[in-house]
Amino acid sequence: MGIGALFAMILLLGIQSVSYVRQLSHATGTILADNYNSLQYAGDMLRSLNDIGHDSVSRHVLRQSLALQQQNITEISEKEMTTALERHIASLSDPVTEAEIQTVREDLFRIMELNMAAIRSKSSGMEQRADYVMWWLIVVAALCVLSAGAILIWFPQTVLRPIDTLKRGIKEIANHNYRQRLDFTGNREFESVAESFNDMAARLDEYRRSSLDDLMTAKKRIEAIVNTLHEPIIGLDPEKTILFMNREALSVLNLPEDVIGRNATEVALSNDLLRELCDERKDAEKEPLKIYADNKESYFQMDNTPLYITPVGGREQQFVGNLIILNNITKFKELDSAKTNFISTVSHEMKTPISSILMSLQLLGDDRLGKLNDEQKQLVGSIRESSDRLLSITGELLNMTQIETGKLKLMPKITKPIELIDYAVKATQVLADRFCCFVEIDYPEKISKLFVDNEKIAWVITNLLSNAIHHSPEKSRIVIGAVQHDKAVEIYVQDFGRGIDPRYHKSIFERYFRVPGTKVQGSGLGLAISKEFVEAHGGTISVESEIGRGSRFSILLPV
């Protein structure tokens, strides 16, 4: 309807404009046809009249123009003037006298004056008509503009008003207000939409009422399951509000049930354990928490998991809170402690018989007790090698038990890095000779001193150099050296053997780990103990290696 009204107004304005233009054009044509032609004929007759005494052709032209004028009589009294002109022209003598010419000329002047007066009169009428048409078109155009402006304002509002109402209704439904209803009575286009919307809202309201009991039952069931778990569980929303906390968590944290619904940060002000659980700055691999629970000191490993869901109808995941679970690892701690004590006891007990075996081997090698044949010497050498390896493993186990029990004691003193390097080179000289390896020392002229436990760091460097010799082919070179780095000193051991796959760079520093495919026998504790010794001094240990390009182990210690 709105577009139709605009089209009708444009059509009306166009028809009126064309009609008025046609009227003005017709009036202009009438002036040209009626009066301008009569002026032209009279002018031709005047020119012929001036030459009529000298040229016979002029008399013919005069009569021809007179005939045309007789056919173009349009004004009142123009016919009588033309008849008098015809009579005077017909009575012209030959030769023509000046009096006759003057009489004809006066008749022509009267006809011309009559047509000129008619032209002025008609032009004045046309101007009045044009003014009338202009003002009428201005009025009609103004009315059309006002009507179009009104439609421009009214029409979108009329169309958008029900759409806005529908949008508000949809938002109410999205906010679970299923009692929302729409009424578009009188709006034919939206009546069916309102009926469908109201039917949908009624069905959703009915579904909510019917499923509310089921939801409450499911909620109670989940709460019962959470409460029966022996692991403390805490649920937080994005604003750190406590959503739920099972009985075990309330017992371990020594909190009343009314903390549920309160902000965890506020509750943590008076509860150190909850404050530590809510601290997001701590990494996930932190030490287990020691908590007094079940009438004894218990150990718990915290697992803080962020929760994300995809809302119904959405595509992107939305953060909904955190789930904190305290895994009770007390049994594993007790087993680990028992394992450590057992290894420590066995290691101490094994050192005495191993020392006795080595002493006996040394006595067997003394010629004063009798000479050994070649086969016996070979057996003694094999026993000595196995005993040395067993003694080395026992020493590693003792070092590991010291670390695990926290009894690792450092006795640091000021030391030059070259002293540690020389000790490691001398300690592995026999091994390097046996594998035909050439150990090179790369040491700068000026380097800072270290404040470390000589025995521990020397053991680390010796272990790294021993590993490099074992994993290098015969007649290969091994570089051991030191580099100054601002306020730290790097001691490195580089070999040119088969290298280590980058996938195992982190795992090789774990206890009992051995790179798959390694033929060299070992306990898998050397690098783990080295890492603990270096970190106890505030340093770091790292590896750079690629398959086929060797390995470079580095320890970085503060000056």
Side-chain angles (χ1 to χ4, degrees):
M1 289 176 60
I3 295 174
L6 291 174
F7 177 78
M9 288 188 293
I10 293 172
L11 183 64
L12 174 63
L13 187 60
I15 291 174
Q16 283 195 334
S17 300
V18 171
S19 175
Y20 289 142
V21 168
R22 285 178 59 84
Q23 290 178 13
L24 294 176
S25 176
H26 181 267
T28 304
T30 300
I31 294 175
L32 291 175
D34 295 349
N35 305 108
Y36 179 76
N37 289 339
S38 295
L39 291 174
Q40 186 176 2
Y41 300 152
D44 292 341
M45 285 187 283
L46 281 175
R47 287 189 293 273
S48 300
L49 187 62
N50 292 332
D51 299 332
I52 196 171
H54 310 286
D55 187 6
S56 59
V57 178
S58 299
R59 189 180 294 273
H60 175 70
V61 173
L62 181 63
R63 291 193 182 96
Q64 188 177 8
S65 300
L66 176 61
L68 292 173
Q69 169 61 24
Q70 288 176 338
Q71 296 177 2
N72 193 44
I73 296 173
T74 57
E75 302 299 328
I76 300 174
S77 73
E78 185 178 5
K79 184 176 183 181
E80 290 80 2
M81 293 180 182
T82 304
T83 302
L85 175 64
E86 180 184 7
R87 187 173 60 253
H88 291 150
I89 290 175
S91 61
L92 291 175
S93 61
D94 189 15
V96 182
T97 62
E98 186 63 32
E100 292 174 339
I101 293 174
Q102 184 63 32
T103 302
V104 173
R105 185 179 286 116
E106 290 177 356
D107 291 337
L108 290 174
F109 284 155
R110 282 195 294 272
I111 292 173
M112 292 177 68
E113 182 64 29
L114 176 64
N115 281 280
M116 286 297 295
I119 288 174
R120 286 192 294 271
S121 176
K122 291 179 180 179
S123 296
S124 177
M126 284 183 60
E127 289 179 359
Q128 293 178 359
R129 181 66 176 172
D131 290 340
Y132 170 77
V133 169
M134 181 185 68
W135 284 109
W136 177 250
L137 289 177
I138 289 174
V139 172
V140 173
L143 292 175
C144 290
V145 169
L146 292 176
S147 302
I151 292 175
L152 185 65
I153 296 174
W154 166 80
F155 184 66
Q157 291 182 349
T158 303
V159 174
L160 294 178
R161 189 179 298 113
I163 296 178
D164 290 337
T165 304
L166 180 61
K167 286 170 57 179
R168 288 194 297 270
I170 292 173
K171 288 182 179 180
E172 290 294 328
I173 293 295
N175 293 329
H176 307 292
N177 181 16
Y178 301 128
R179 298 185 180 277
Q180 178 70 24
R181 298 293 183 270
L182 300 181
D183 183 13
F184 293 130
T185 304
N187 192 326
R188 183 182 60 191
E189 289 81 2
F190 281 91
E191 280 185 352
S192 59
V193 175
E195 292 177 1
S196 300
F197 180 90
N198 294 337
D199 183 58
M200 175 195 69
R203 290 177 181 273
L204 288 174
D205 190 25
E206 180 181 356
Y207 174 76
R208 183 185 62 174
R209 289 196 301 269
S210 63
S211 61
L212 186 59
D213 292 338
D214 296 338
L215 291 175
M216 292 301 297
T217 302
K219 180 176 179 293
K220 293 293 184 182
R221 186 181 298 114
I222 293 174
E223 289 178 351
I225 293 173
V226 172
N227 281 323
T228 56
L229 295 177
H230 294 290
E231 309 294 335
I233 300 176
I234 304 171
L236 306 176
D237 69 359
E239 285 74 31
K240 300 298 181 184
T241 302
I242 301 175
L243 299 177
F244 60 86
M245 188 179 293
N246 64 354
R247 297 191 188 96
E248 193 70 21
L250 293 172
S251 175
V252 169
L253 273 71
N254 193 23
L255 292 173
E257 293 186 2
D258 59 1
V259 298
I260 298 176
R262 294 174 57 186
N263 190 278
T265 306
E266 177 186 346
V267 178
L269 295 176
S270 57
N271 191 295
D272 296 337
L273 179 56
L274 183 60
R275 181 164 59 251
E276 187 170 357
L277 295 179
C278 296
D279 189 358
E280 297 179 350
R281 294 173 297 178
K282 296 188 177 182
D283 56 6
E285 297 181 358
K286 59 185 179 180
E287 291 295 320
L289 300 173
K290 184 189 293 186
I291 304 173
Y292 188 81
D294 297 331
N295 298 322
K296 64 178 181 179
E297 285 187 347
S298 303
Y299 293 88
F300 293 87
Q301 186 69 49
M302 186 186 76
D303 185 11
N304 191 341
T305 305
L307 301 178
Y308 296 89
I309 65 169
T310 302
V312 178
R315 295 183 179 179
E316 296 183 357
Q317 287 191 332
Q318 179 180 349
F319 176 68
V320 295
N322 294 78
L323 180 67
I324 300 175
I325 302 177
L326 295 179
N327 298 306
N328 195 334
I329 59 172
T330 305
K331 292 183 179 179
F332 303 103
K333 266 289 186 182
E334 293 173 349
L335 291 174
D336 187 62
S337 178
K339 179 262 299 180
T340 301
N341 293 333
F342 174 75
I343 292 176
S344 177
T345 302
V346 171
S347 300
H348 277 288
E349 294 296 330
M350 287 177 64
K351 290 194 74 174
T352 301
I354 293 172
S355 299
S356 299
I357 293 173
L358 292 174
M359 180 65 69
S360 300
L361 289 173
Q362 188 174 358
L363 293 175
L364 283 175
D366 194 343
D367 292 339
R368 290 176 297 177
L369 297 180
K371 291 186 177 181
L372 301 176
N373 57 34
D374 293 338
E375 185 177 354
Q376 290 172 336
K377 288 181 180 180
Q378 185 178 1
L379 289 173
V380 169
S382 177
I383 295 172
R384 180 180 289 109
E385 183 179 347
S386 298
S387 299
D388 289 338
R389 181 168 171 269
L390 186 58
L391 185 62
S392 175
I393 294 175
T394 304
E396 289 180 351
L397 290 174
L398 285 174
N399 287 331
M400 184 57 66
T401 55
Q402 286 183 358
I403 294 170
E404 289 183 345
T405 56
K407 296 179 180 179
L408 180 63
K409 295 181 180 180
L410 300 178
M411 292 182 289
K413 64 179 181 179
I414 298 176
T415 307
K416 295 180 180 179
I418 190 62
E419 297 176 359
L420 303 172
I421 294 174
D422 287 339
Y423 176 86
V425 172
K426 292 177 181 178
T428 57
Q429 186 63 50
V430 177
L431 184 65
D433 293 340
R434 186 170 56 170
F435 282 88
C436 300
C437 293
F438 303 98
V439 179
E440 300 177 6
I441 298 178
D442 180 17
Y443 195 78
E445 294 182 0
K446 295 183 179 180
I447 195 168
S448 301
K449 296 180 180 180
L450 299 173
F451 186 65
V452 295
D453 187 320
N454 285 13
E455 181 182 349
K456 300 293 189 297
I457 299 301
W459 186 93
V460 173
I461 300 173
T462 303
N463 181 70
L464 295 179
L465 187 55
S466 174
N467 288 344
I469 294 172
H470 278 104
H471 294 86
S472 296
E474 291 186 0
K475 297 182 180 181
S476 65
R477 53 191 285 263
I478 298 172
V479 181
I480 179 171
V483 181
Q484 180 77 45
H485 293 289
D486 294 335
K487 296 183 179 181
V489 171
E490 177 189 4
I491 300 176
Y492 67 91
V493 176
Q494 184 171 5
D495 65 70
F496 302 92
R498 62 190 299 268
I500 303 173
D501 194 316
R503 293 179 298 173
Y504 307 125
H505 283 185
K506 291 184 177 180
S507 302
I508 58 177
F509 294 104
E510 297 177 0
R511 301 172 189 175
Y512 310 110
F513 179 83
R514 295 176 66 246
V515 177
T518 303
K519 296 181 180 180
V520 180
Q521 298 296 324
S523 62
L525 291 174
L527 290 177
I529 296 173
S530 299
K531 181 174 181 291
E532 296 288 348
F533 281 174
V534 172
E535 291 181 350
H537 287 82
T540 58
I541 184 170
S542 60
V543 61
E544 298 176 8
S545 180
E546 292 183 15
I547 298 295
R549 295 190 177 183
S551 305
R552 187 180 191 273
F553 283 86
S554 305
I555 60 174
L556 195 66
L557 297 167
V559 300

